[in-house]
Amino acid sequence: MANLVLTLISLLAIGWTLVHAGEPSPLQDLCVADFNSPVRVNGHACLDPKKVTADHFLFKGLHIPGNTSNPLGSFVNRPTVDQIPGLNTLGISTVRVDYAPRGVVPPHRHPRASEILTVLEGTVLVGFVTSDPENKLFSKVLKKGDVFAFPFGLIHFQQNVGHGNAVTIAFLSSQNPGVIPIANTLFGSNPSINDDLLAKAFRVDKSIIRDLKSPY
């Protein structure tokens, strides 16, 4: 009987850990980020509530189209807790992406968030790939008003496949989801990852790796 009790307690402890593996729930109404606090925590220390104003919860300009005149043909406007201090401990943030025709948000992942995206204008190809060994692609072409979800931490992408410009807006399950662009990470790291290692990993000649690194 004692062993059974210990087993149940262990399972409950594991379950609690899994449920709370993401960002913890707030313990008060608000905890506006205090960027000047010397205290270092997982997130930001709380600003004195007496100093909190409505402006700490405000971000202006998400309606303004971004400049897509760049090699990717896209512009990402990503207000996180750094731009909206009131997001601290709330476990949510947003992002607007503008796309020129054929513009892309290249394969990337968010190490601290899942994501739900909706198309405001245009036609957008989206997709994500599951983890190894399946590496299964889930992909859809979205029209205005369509919604698509990207699971936590998986590599995903977007591309404008329409004839005109496109706009999407998304919400992420973290105040600071982070972003890891796959190409930038592998070919633009500092210091650089060894050419021989990357050549073996991608099963190509080292000259191709050097070409892939050159834009970074």
Side-chain angles (χ1 to χ4, degrees):
M1 184 67 179
N3 288 338
L4 177 60
V5 172
L6 287 173
T7 301
L8 289 172
I9 291 173
S10 299
L11 289 173
L12 285 171
I14 293 170
W16 180 266
T17 301
L18 292 173
V19 168
H20 292 272
E23 297 186 8
S25 299
L27 300 178
Q28 60 277 316
D29 287 344
L30 51 89
C31 175
V32 170
D34 183 353
F35 299 124
N36 297 316
S37 173
V39 178
R40 292 291 173 263
V41 295
N42 185 22
H44 298 280
C46 300
L47 184 69
D48 183 344
K50 295 183 179 66
K51 298 180 180 179
V52 173
T53 69
D55 286 338
H56 287 113
F57 301 89
L58 176 68
F59 178 85
K60 293 185 176 181
L62 205 62
H63 67 291
I64 300 172
N67 183 3
T68 58
S69 299
N70 56 65
L72 295 177
S74 64
F75 181 88
V76 179
N77 190 351
R78 187 186 300 113
T80 66
V81 67
D82 292 328
Q83 290 75 40
I84 311 175
L87 288 180
N88 194 41
T89 75
L90 299 188
I92 192 170
S93 58
T94 188
V95 57
R96 169 185 169 139
V97 182
D98 291 273
Y99 311 77
R102 312 308 297 180
V104 303
V105 175
H108 64 286
R109 62 183 294 269
H110 302 292
R112 295 179 288 276
S114 50
E115 179 178 356
I116 186 166
L117 172 147
T118 186
V119 176
L120 299 183
E121 296 292 341
T123 305
V124 180
L125 169 70
V126 300
F128 65 86
V129 180
T130 62
S131 55
D132 194 66
E134 288 81 10
N135 299 313
K136 184 175 181 179
L137 172 65
F138 291 85
S139 184
K140 277 287 186 183
V141 173
L142 306 182
K143 304 284 188 180
K144 181 177 180 178
D146 290 346
V147 177
F148 196 81
F150 300 116
F152 194 106
L154 294 186
I155 293 173
H156 56 284
F157 58 84
Q158 296 112 255
Q159 182 178 27
N160 178 6
V161 293
H163 298 294
N165 294 333
V167 181
T168 62
I169 191 165
F171 300 93
L172 300 102
S173 62
S174 172
Q175 66 184 44
N176 185 25
V179 60
I180 301 176
I182 306 307
N184 301 42
T185 302
L186 292 175
F187 305 117
S189 66
N190 184 21
S192 178
I193 298 174
N194 180 274
D195 289 356
D196 184 61
L197 185 153
L198 289 175
K200 285 184 170 65
F202 286 93
R203 303 176 188 179
V204 297
D205 189 81
K206 283 191 283 188
S207 62
I208 295 176
I209 297 299
R210 286 191 287 271
D211 287 343
L212 289 170
K213 285 184 173 181
S214 61
Y216 304 100

